[in-house]
Amino acid sequence: MKKIYLLSAVACLFAFNANAYEDDFIDGWGTDGGKAKIAKTASGTLNITVADASADYNAQLISTSWQKLEGQKQGKTFKLSWEMNFHGEADSATYLIMAGKTFPWTADFDQGNNLQVVDAAGASLGQGYGVRQKKVGKDYKLCTFEGLVGEWGQDSIRIQLNLGGEGSDGVFNIKNMKLELDGKVVKEWFTEAAEGTAIAEEAAVKAFVANNVIFASEAADVVVYNINGVAVKSAKNVTSLDVADLKAGLYIAKVGNATVKFVK
């Protein structure tokens, strides 16, 4: 399998940054030991990079929990909403929502711990394999997870957003996320900065290589250099660039202000 190394956008073009994407806890959301990599852009958007997703939703996730928030009482309405898009090898990707205790899978599995977000009949939402939502693509889409606070939800509500699975290699972007309890907004994350205050969007570009194609999280100028530092291929304002025609060897691709190292 070809290895992909993400480089720091501010590092020297050929200097490998082994600490890229070390952050795993942003605004209360973490990777929970999973393989997804998270970073926050200058405009406030959350970027989640998923690589080698295979078919394992549980390996590529972000998660959080809430305790004793205003309105966190049994029977009160619960609504988590956010805008999300996806840029990758596929045109779209599917995600799952899981709520409550999901591991370990044992014979005495305590379903009570899943009664955190429930439907009108009191049945758990997001239990087990979770709630499969519609796919998201290149355009931002409003996503929601709604129900009622269950018995166990009065003490703690735990949420996982699982992004892995076939065709999910790429970058998910989340913005304008908020949690409403009893119709009142009690938490907000990744709210876009007011227009004119954000650093150039180019600084937020994320890039990866899969199946001889360079992918960017948003349109950017791409330049590919060989190991001698000679530019061998380029394109302007693109979200992908086919490099199948390059000879075998080590290459560095500059994608906007991001850099990715790959081997053909």
Side-chain angles (χ1 to χ4, degrees):
M1 180 180 292
K2 296 174 183 176
K3 295 184 178 180
I4 301 168
Y5 302 91
L6 296 178
L7 306 190
S8 169
V10 297
C12 176
L13 179 61
F14 296 99
F16 176 65
N17 179 3
N19 295 320
Y21 289 125
E22 277 193 348
D23 290 341
D24 61 356
F25 198 83
I26 297 176
D27 288 359
W29 287 87
T31 56
D32 197 25
K35 297 180 180 179
K37 306 300 181 183
I38 59 178
K40 193 173 181 181
T41 73
S43 64
T45 301
L46 180 67
N47 290 155
I48 307 126
T49 301
V50 172
D52 193 21
S54 66
D56 188 356
Y57 284 91
N58 296 313
Q60 307 283 359
L61 60 87
I62 60 172
S63 64
T64 193
S65 65
W66 305 292
Q67 294 79 34
K68 305 185 185 306
L69 298 175
E70 181 182 356
Q72 193 170 339
K73 302 294 183 182
Q74 185 174 6
K76 298 296 186 180
T77 59
F78 172 96
K79 181 178 180 180
L80 181 66
S81 62
W82 67 99
E83 295 174 61
M84 183 163 66
N85 68 12
F86 170 77
H87 293 268
E89 183 176 353
D91 292 333
S92 61
T94 303
Y95 62 93
L96 298 178
I97 290 287
M98 302 178 77
K101 180 179 179 181
T102 55
F103 293 102
W105 296 101
T106 60
D108 58 349
F109 178 68
D110 186 357
Q111 183 174 337
N113 276 308
N114 275 299
L115 299 178
Q116 298 180 9
V117 182
V118 301
D119 61 20
S124 177
L125 294 174
Q127 179 182 339
Y129 284 104
V131 177
R132 184 179 293 273
Q133 302 288 349
K134 294 181 180 180
K135 292 183 177 181
V136 290
K138 294 182 179 180
D139 296 326
Y140 273 104
K141 177 181 179 180
L142 179 63
C143 307
T144 61
F145 179 56
E146 302 180 57
L148 302 172
V149 177
E151 178 183 358
W152 287 73
Q154 295 183 105
D155 176 62
S156 177
I157 297 176
R158 286 164 284 176
I159 296 291
Q160 283 184 191
L161 180 59
N162 294 38
L163 303 169
E166 192 69 29
S168 291
D169 282 7
V171 179
F172 292 82
N173 298 289
I174 289 178
K175 66 179 181 179
N176 300 328
M177 176 179 271
K178 61 183 178 181
L179 172 63
E180 298 174 58
L181 292 174
D182 199 24
K184 182 178 180 179
V185 177
V186 294
K187 287 278 188 179
E188 291 185 88
W189 311 265
F190 318 124
T191 302
E192 287 187 298
E195 186 175 356
T197 64
I199 298 174
E201 285 295 317
E202 188 181 29
V205 174
K206 303 298 176 187
F208 73 102
V209 179
N211 296 330
N212 289 322
V213 179
I214 300 171
F215 293 97
S217 61
E218 58 188 81
D221 293 346
V222 181
V223 182
V224 181
Y225 300 87
N226 64 19
I227 192 62
N228 296 317
V230 177
V232 294
K233 193 160 190 174
S234 65
K236 288 187 174 295
N237 199 36
V238 296
T239 56
S240 64
L241 179 63
D242 193 324
V243 292
D245 57 332
L246 296 180
K247 297 179 180 179
L250 177 66
Y251 294 90
I252 302 291
K254 189 80 183 305
V255 185
N257 278 354
T259 309
V260 60
K261 182 179 181 179
F262 65 97
V263 178
K264 271 203 81 251

